[in-house]
């Protein structure tokens, strides 16, 4: 079935509007049904092993194959599977291309891609072209070319592709989305979001050489990890549903954090202290939507700060405002005049249907339940044969922030248009 047509038909319906981005969309063919779902995992480092644990909590999820360039990690993962399912996964550890051998198996329905970000798009495309559905870790892609490759692979293979954006499934984010859809904030006019997380320690291997996160700051500039911040905001604003991101402008400051950290940790004569960092410590961008809302988004992973919360969100509508920091809410006519309320007191009335349904199992499974919910949503979509709730169009629009902020910075802050990945299929009417 042609995806864009399917989506266009779907988003015009009341059911589509209610489903938004977090529930499976229109039925697109026979699903896997109740039989076991067979998964392979590419990259079983920190995140891959965590997602493996989440998958093993899903009923009927089997993991017959895992792949990593570090054999010890693949063995650890295979052992986790042996404990959970009574049979070890087969391991693929013969180098960076060995995942292609795993993809040749005809007993895998889907793969989870949890390798370094620079590899996600190529691996996801290869998986879909080998007939596998994909759950990809964030971000989906690093360049616009990769974004288009993903769109083409989904449209040409008809496979289900989902971005594993767990922040979208955090209980408070889903409550906010529910409140917005029920009109509590009126029309959304403005939002702020940020990923501000001191990750300097993760940029280096113990010997001081660059780890993949550090390499990002040498090879790229701009917002290098946009989806945790933009995902929940985009879903609350109906991006790709009732509005679309039109353009952005971006600036970055100079890089200081990594160099200072490397000199202090490894010594000023160590090669890591001589690295020429390209990405500034902070990238700040403003996005304009087609319907005239503005989103202010920031990224900073190389400045010192305590890890209390790694994300920041604020949503402003014509009737009220929600601020995640301090869990504050103000609804004109409902809150006491000129007074903040504690937002979580709205949970009873505005708990999202998904949290009512799966919340107990999700518990605090990582990122306040978001990890369980994300993997469950993927499994449910495969079983039902629906499109993924965070589909390839969401994935590439959110991930394109990385190349678009870079392009704007290089052009001295000039606006950059978002590519129309959905080829005009976004519903244009106001939310
Ligand atoms: N959603 C979240 O909250 C969240 C949290 C952490 C990380 N992530 C994402 O998950 C991904 C992995 O992050 P991580 O922290 O686990 O990193 P990691 O370095 O711990 O794990 C990556 C793994 O991929 C393996 N790998 C590298 N190249 C490979 C190849 N060609 N074939 C097979 N395996 C290969 C590495 O050996 C390593 O084990 C990243 O994209 C990151 O952005 C997401």
């Amino acid at each position: 079935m042609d995806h864009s047509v399917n989506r266009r038909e779907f988003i015009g319906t009341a059911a589509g509007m209610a489903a938004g981005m977090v529930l499976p969309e229109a039925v697109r063919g026979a699903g896997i049904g109740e039989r076991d779902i067979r998964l392979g995992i590419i990259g079983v480092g920190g995140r891959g092993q965590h997602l493996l644990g989440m998958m093993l909590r899903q009923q009927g999820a089997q993991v017959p194959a895992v792949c990593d360039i570090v054999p010890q990690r693949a063995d650890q993962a295979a052992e986790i599977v042996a404990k959970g399912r009574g049979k070890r996964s087969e391991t693929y550890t013969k180098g960076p291309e060995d995942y292609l051998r795993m993809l040749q198996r005809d007993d895998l329905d889907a793969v989870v891609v949890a390798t370094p970000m620079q590899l996600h798009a190529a691996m996801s495309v290869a998986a879909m072209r080998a007939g596998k559905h994909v759950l990809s870790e964030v971000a989906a892609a690093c360049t616009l070319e990769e974004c288009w490759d993903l769109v083409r692979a989904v449209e040409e293979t008809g496979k289900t592709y989902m971005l594993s954006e767990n922040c979208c499934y955090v209980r408070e984010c889903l409550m906010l989305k529910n409140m917005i859809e029920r009109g509590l904030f009126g029309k959304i006019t403005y939002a702020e979001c940020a990923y501000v997380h001191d990750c300097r320690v993760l940029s280096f291997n113990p010997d001081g050489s660059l780890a993949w996160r550090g390499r990002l700051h040498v090879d790229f500039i701009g917002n290098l990890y946009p989806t945790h911040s933009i995902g929940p905001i985009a879903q609350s604003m109906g991006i790709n549903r009732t509005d679309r991101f039109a353009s952005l402008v971006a600036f970055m400051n100079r890089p200081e954090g990594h160099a200072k950290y490397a000199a202090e940790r490894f010594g000023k004569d160590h090669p890591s202290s001589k690295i020429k960092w390209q990405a500034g410590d902070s990238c700040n961008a403003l996005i304009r939507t087609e319907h005239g809302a503005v989103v202010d988004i920031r990224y900073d992973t190389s400045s010192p700060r305590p890890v209390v919360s790694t994300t920041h969100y604020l949503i402003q509508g014509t009737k009220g405002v929600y601020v995640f920091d301090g869990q504050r809410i103000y609804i004109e006519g409902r809150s006491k005049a000129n007074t903040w309320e504690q937002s979580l007191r709205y949970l009873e009335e505005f708990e999202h249907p998904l949290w009512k349904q799966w919340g107990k199992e999700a518990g605090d499974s990582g990122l306040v339940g978001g990890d369980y919910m994300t993997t469950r949503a993927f499994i449910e979509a495969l079983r039902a044969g629906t499109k993924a709730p965070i589909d390839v169009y969401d994935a590439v629009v959110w991930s394109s922030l990385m190349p678009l902020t870079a392009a704007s910075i290089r052009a001295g802050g000039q606006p950059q248009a978002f590519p129309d990945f959905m080829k005009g299929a976004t519903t244009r009417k106001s939310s």
Side-chain angles (χ1 to χ4, degrees), residues 7 20-22 163 165 167-168 173 176-177 180-181 188 191-193 226-245 287 289 295 297 313-315 389-390 393-395 397-399 401 418 431:
R7 182 180 191 86
M21 277 183 219
V22 290
L163 186 70
E165 184 35 81
C167 292
C168 292
C173 289
L176 171 65
K177 180 175 185 297
I180 290 171
E181 284 170 358
I188 302 305
E192 286 171 15
C193 56
T227 69
H228 284 342
S229 35
I230 204 64
I233 292 296
Q235 73 171 8
S236 288
M237 294 176 76
I239 297 302
N240 286 358
R241 274 41 179 195
T242 54
D243 197 357
R244 64 179 289 270
F245 288 146
I287 305 170
T289 77
V295 180
I297 177 168
Y313 306 107
L314 177 153
I315 285 262
I390 300 176
Y393 303 103
D394 303 321
V397 168
W398 304 352
S399 303
L401 275 164
F418 280 78
S431 44

Side-chain angles (χ1 to χ4, degrees), residues 42-48 67-70 73 96 114-117 119-120 123 137-138 164 166 212-213 225 228:
I42 314 177
V44 278
R47 189 68 188 157
C67 170
D68 202 294
I69 49 171
V70 180
R73 292 193 187 140
T115 47
M117 230 171 87
L119 304 174
H120 292 177
M123 288 177 164
E137 254 312 332
V138 300
S164 186
N166 44 351
W212 66 264
R213 282 183 175 83
Y225 201 58
H228 284 342

